[in-house]
Amino acid sequence: MQTLYRRLLSILPRIGVKVVDLGPGTALVFRRGERTVAPVGRGADLVARGKARYTVTDAGTDTWVVARAAAGRSVTSVPLGPTGARLLLDGAVPADGEREFQLAASHYLCAQHVAALLELNGVNCVFDVGANTGQYGKGLRRFGYTGRIVSFEPVSDTFAKLRRSAENDPDWHVYNFALGREEAVQSIHVDWKSMNSLLPPSEYGKERYRRFAKGRTEEIEVRRLDDVMQKALEGIEDPRPYLKMDTQGFDMEVFAGAGERISEFVGLQSEVAALRLYEGSPAMGEAVAAYEAAGFGVTGMYPVTRDPATGRVVEFDCVMVREAGAP
């Protein structure tokens, strides 16, 4: 026998009231438009305006992703081991997009790893060498680093953008010179976008990037890292610095300019080349061996760029820590 409740629901549409039955004892009543119901987990429903279809994807404990459905579209939730984190894929990654996907994932994982490393090792000053317009510093802040950032960028136009990036951050200091093995005035190749370098391009670099065939040079000041550390660390009671280098083939020169004071750094990050873009830059094995000889050990290697023809990694971000520097 039909209950009074059910009889009432059947009568409402006759008087212009629309009804969406959501199960025993529950119904949605409304006067205008259409409503769509999408079940979300056990005992929960999503009610949306209109007739659009929705897909619901389980994204972990008591969490779901609701997306408007389209022909052939699917959202996949991939658990990342036992961490509780999940990777959400809006459709399958096509074969021709795999490299781009891998590099994007690598960039995120590297930034997340560095942020965790800085916290675990009590880092309170990051030396950002080859800062460009401040991308690295902004990334540190997004991932929660609150300590001092000291950025070095020698190219005048690029430095102006870096200064704007840091102007509202009182503990982000910026300097308009390069770091190297010795104090000097040198010519840097500019107008290569984010790839300005003190070194000329290699034959492979010329084949890989058309921008290397153009550009101009600019005279810049080069100083040693050990000469600027005292001022950079001023006011920090117990300095625990971290060295990030991204200088387009010049990282080993920056490293050499730290002299004996390299022992003060609890960790470092260097862009090492599997395929050399710049003439005279060290091979990856040579660079890693020099860092290891100074007491650093690898904690992560993250692809930065790949060769479009072969898929070979051109450069890695190599992240390292000093075992003796652990707090």
Side-chain angles (χ1 to χ4, degrees):
M1 176 181 291
Q2 192 178 47
T3 64
L4 177 62
Y5 168 76
R6 291 292 169 187
R7 290 175 60 189
L8 177 61
L9 292 184
S10 65
I11 292 172
L12 288 176
R14 302 178 191 176
I15 59 174
V17 178
K18 300 181 179 182
V19 177
V20 174
D21 191 351
L22 298 175
T26 307
L28 174 70
V29 296
F30 56 101
R31 292 183 61 85
R32 297 182 178 85
E34 299 291 339
R35 299 294 185 274
T36 300
V37 179
V40 180
R42 180 178 297 179
D45 296 285
L46 169 73
V47 180
R49 294 188 178 90
K51 292 184 177 181
R53 294 178 56 199
Y54 293 87
T55 60
V56 179
T57 304
D58 183 4
T61 306
D62 296 329
T63 306
W64 298 269
V65 175
V66 180
R68 189 184 294 270
R73 180 184 181 185
S74 63
V75 177
T76 304
S77 174
V78 182
L80 300 179
T83 64
R86 286 183 176 248
L87 176 67
L88 297 177
L89 300 175
D90 189 0
V93 178
D96 60 357
E98 183 271 342
R99 294 177 190 173
E100 184 178 355
F101 173 81
Q102 291 285 336
L103 291 178
S106 175
H107 177 77
Y108 174 83
L109 291 173
C110 181
Q112 187 272 342
H113 171 59
V114 169
L117 185 148
L118 298 183
E119 182 176 355
L120 288 171
N121 288 274
V123 170
N124 49 24
C125 184
V126 174
F127 284 74
D128 173 21
V129 186
N132 199 249
T133 61
Q135 304 95 312
Y136 187 82
K138 290 178 182 178
L140 290 177
R141 294 301 192 221
R142 283 196 299 272
F143 275 86
Y145 173 72
T146 59
R148 181 174 298 176
I149 302 172
V150 184
S151 295
F152 301 87
E153 172 53 49
V155 178
S156 55
D157 290 347
T158 311
F159 178 76
K161 296 176 183 177
L162 170 64
R163 185 164 51 191
R164 288 196 292 272
S165 295
E167 63 185 355
N168 294 320
D169 190 327
D171 213 12
W172 185 354
H173 306 171
V174 297
Y175 295 96
N176 187 201
F177 52 81
L179 297 179
R181 186 182 297 268
E182 56 188 23
E183 292 191 2
V185 174
Q186 291 184 239
S187 295
I188 188 170
H189 298 273
V190 298
D191 295 341
W192 287 353
K193 297 184 179 179
S194 62
M195 301 177 69
N196 301 328
S197 178
L198 282 156
L199 301 176
S202 66
E203 289 303 314
Y204 171 73
K206 293 175 185 177
E207 294 175 5
R208 177 74 173 82
Y209 292 104
R210 293 181 180 178
R211 71 189 71 165
F212 287 165
K214 302 177 182 179
R216 57 185 176 84
T217 60
E218 179 178 314
E219 296 294 297
I220 63 165
E221 178 187 4
V222 181
R223 298 180 63 181
R224 284 178 57 89
L225 178 55
D226 55 8
D227 287 340
V228 302
M229 285 180 63
Q230 183 172 349
K231 181 177 180 181
L233 296 171
E234 196 171 70
I236 300 177
E237 185 174 344
D238 179 22
R240 294 186 60 80
Y242 176 86
L243 175 61
K244 167 265 179 183
M245 299 173 287
D246 181 3
T247 59
Q248 306 306 312
F250 212 66
D251 287 12
M252 284 290 292
E253 299 297 302
V254 175
F255 181 78
E260 295 298 320
R261 297 199 69 174
I262 196 64
S263 63
E264 298 177 31
F265 288 89
V266 300
L268 67 79
Q269 179 176 344
S270 175
E271 197 170 78
V272 296
L275 298 173
R276 285 184 278 191
L277 295 171
Y278 306 97
E279 200 66 46
S281 63
M284 179 171 67
E286 179 185 349
V288 173
Y291 301 147
E292 289 179 332
F296 296 93
V298 175
T299 63
M301 295 283 281
Y302 301 91
V304 177
T305 53
R306 292 180 183 268
D307 182 90
T310 66
R312 292 180 61 187
V313 175
V314 178
E315 295 165 315
F316 287 92
D317 264 332
C318 176
V319 182
M320 312 182 81
V321 294
R322 180 187 298 283
E323 183 177 355

